[in-house]
Amino acid sequence: MCIFVEFVLQNCMSKKFSIPSFLKPEIAQVEALFHKELRSSSKLLTIITRYVIKTKGKQLRPLLVFSAAGMVGKIGKSTYSAAYMIELMHTATLVHDDVVDDAAKRRGFFSINALWKNKIAVLVGDYFLSKGLLYAIDNNEIEMLRIISHAVRQMSEGELLQLEKARNLSSTEEIYYEIIRKKTASLFVAAMQSGAISTGTCSDEQRSTLTKIAELLGIAFQIKDDILDFSTQALTGKTAWNDLKEKKMTLPLLYTLQQLDATQAKQLRKALSSHKNKHENLKKIAETIIQTGGIQYSIQKLNELCDKALDLCKTFPANQYNAALGELIEFVKK
């Protein structure tokens, strides 16, 4: 394994993003709204909801909502509604994703399906989705509902397209970008669009630019996730190469297939499709991807996307919200 790739992967694993201090009160209000709105008379649902809240992630999408709002206007009641709805939709899709992927853990905690089985996990995800829809209607946030519903539809289409391509290991970079644009970037776009319109002062041009920033960041975010599948932890056998095990056509893999001759590419696809996807087999595939420059190529593309997003941020007035978004983009960038 080359020293450069080793350094990059170790650096990725060690970095952690922290919400800027000035946004923590806003995030806390979203958390309070979560607790309030997800109360239920069902004892089981209450237990699961508390577990979900306790194990939720870094609140990156609410950060996108507040950053977009602060870049074009003032944060108001609708902004908090947008952040809550986006985070609720994100949580629902993660619960469903864990069922689809048969994932036992999420962020180091046991997944809902691992603890309460698939049927309950699906119903909990459905409950979260319905709560988001009803909240939007009750608070007359119809435009936000349209934005978020569009994102959920795209995420479903992206997931199905990825599963389709994984079956026969046939994909291209163009299809890969279509998948992650729908599967990952669409919710980033929904977050920033919702935040922008919540102010009531966002112009069409500003909304268009924020949409471009969100899409670039969302795609870069997914590429980073692709790269982390080759982390040092995986190479030492402490964790499996999950994307390779699931036959996902990620950017490092696609680049490698393009660099190999027809015979070598066929052999690699055969190894991927093998039912004997044990550690040694996956290790050989990972080493091939690293040796052919798949990681370095992906890092290059990730940096290009982040640089474009940072340039677009400069078209907005410099303030703490713009700076917070810039910090997030720099975090994703290698």
Side-chain angles (χ1 to χ4, degrees):
M1 181 179 181
C2 76
I3 295 174
F4 171 75
V5 174
E6 173 74 29
F7 170 77
V8 169
L9 293 176
Q10 295 242 13
N11 190 45
C12 287
M13 294 299 292
S14 63
K15 290 170 67 178
K16 291 183 179 180
F17 183 77
S18 297
I19 297 292
S21 57
F22 79 92
L23 275 176
K24 287 182 179 178
E26 276 73 16
I27 298 297
Q29 287 196 47
V30 176
E31 286 292 287
L33 193 55
F34 235 88
H35 282 275
K36 176 185 174 184
E37 291 296 325
L38 294 182
R39 288 173 184 163
S40 171
S41 58
S42 166
K43 185 177 180 180
L44 176 60
L45 193 54
T46 299
I47 292 170
I48 296 173
T49 298
R50 285 176 180 171
Y51 181 78
V52 169
I53 292 171
K54 180 182 177 181
T55 59
K56 275 188 336 93
K58 299 181 180 66
Q59 308 280 21
L60 297 185
R61 287 152 194 84
L63 181 147
L64 293 177
V65 172
F66 288 118
S67 293
M71 288 166 71
V72 301
K74 292 183 179 180
I75 290 172
K77 182 178 181 294
S78 285
T79 313
Y80 292 100
S81 295
Y84 162 70
M85 289 163 59
I86 287 289
E87 189 65 3
L88 189 59
M89 292 297 127
H90 175 56
T91 304
T93 56
L94 289 183
V95 172
H96 283 162
D97 283 350
D98 286 342
V99 174
V100 172
D101 296 337
D102 195 25
K105 287 192 173 183
R106 165 75 61 179
R107 305 187 189 97
F109 296 92
F110 284 109
S111 61
I112 304 302
N113 49 295
L115 291 172
W116 288 282
K117 305 303 180 184
N118 287 347
K119 184 181 288 187
I120 289 178
V122 170
L123 292 171
V124 169
D126 290 347
Y127 174 75
F128 288 164
L129 285 171
S130 67
K131 288 292 289 185
L133 297 175
L134 288 169
Y135 184 88
I137 294 169
D138 291 343
N139 290 273
N140 199 32
E141 298 289 6
I142 305 305
E143 178 61 12
M144 283 184 198
L145 177 58
R146 187 194 67 78
I147 290 170
I148 295 172
S149 297
H150 178 70
V152 173
R153 186 195 74 189
Q154 285 198 311
M155 291 166 73
S156 300
E157 290 174 350
E159 191 74 50
L160 287 167
L161 182 57
Q162 184 174 65
L163 290 170
E164 175 191 335
K165 296 303 175 183
R167 285 185 176 182
N168 52 17
L169 296 173
S170 63
S171 192
T172 62
E173 272 196 46
E174 184 180 1
I175 294 173
Y176 166 80
Y177 283 117
E178 181 186 354
I179 289 171
I180 65 174
R181 188 176 290 111
K182 289 183 173 182
K183 183 182 171 184
T184 305
S186 60
L187 198 57
F188 281 59
V189 169
M192 294 194 73
Q193 286 189 349
S194 297
I197 69 166
S198 74
T199 64
T201 58
C202 179
S203 68
D204 290 342
E205 183 180 358
Q206 288 174 322
R207 180 170 173 174
S208 176
T209 304
L210 288 171
T211 297
K212 290 175 185 175
I213 294 171
E215 188 169 277
L216 289 166
L217 178 58
I219 293 171
F221 192 87
Q222 184 58 56
I223 292 175
K224 180 174 182 177
D225 192 62
D226 291 353
I227 293 168
L228 287 175
D229 198 49
F230 296 85
S231 69
T232 304
Q233 282 188 319
L235 291 170
T236 56
K238 294 179 182 177
T239 333
W241 292 273
N242 290 325
D243 290 344
L244 292 179
K245 283 180 70 177
E246 294 172 11
K247 304 178 181 64
K248 291 180 179 177
M249 303 299 285
T250 63
L251 190 58
L253 173 60
L254 285 168
Y255 178 82
T256 294
L257 289 170
Q258 290 170 0
Q259 304 312 303
L260 301 177
D261 61 38
T263 301
Q264 292 172 324
K266 184 178 180 181
Q267 289 174 342
L268 183 58
R269 283 192 171 92
K270 185 177 180 181
L272 277 168
S273 61
S274 171
H275 294 296
K276 299 178 181 179
N277 256 343
K278 295 184 179 178
H279 177 76
E280 285 305 314
N281 184 39
L282 292 172
K283 184 179 180 181
K284 288 179 182 178
I285 296 170
E287 287 174 346
T288 299
I289 291 170
I290 292 168
Q291 289 164 7
T292 53
I295 302 297
Q296 288 167 292
Y297 176 77
S298 300
I299 291 167
Q300 177 188 332
K301 290 296 180 183
L302 182 151
N303 287 338
E304 290 173 2
L305 291 163
C306 288
D307 286 341
K308 288 179 182 178
L310 288 168
D311 286 342
L312 289 172
C313 286
K314 294 174 184 176
T315 64
F316 291 88
N319 62 21
Q320 58 186 354
Y321 298 100
N322 198 334
L325 181 59
E327 286 176 20
L328 177 58
I329 296 170
E330 289 287 359
F331 167 78
V332 174
K333 183 179 177 183
K334 299 297 175 290

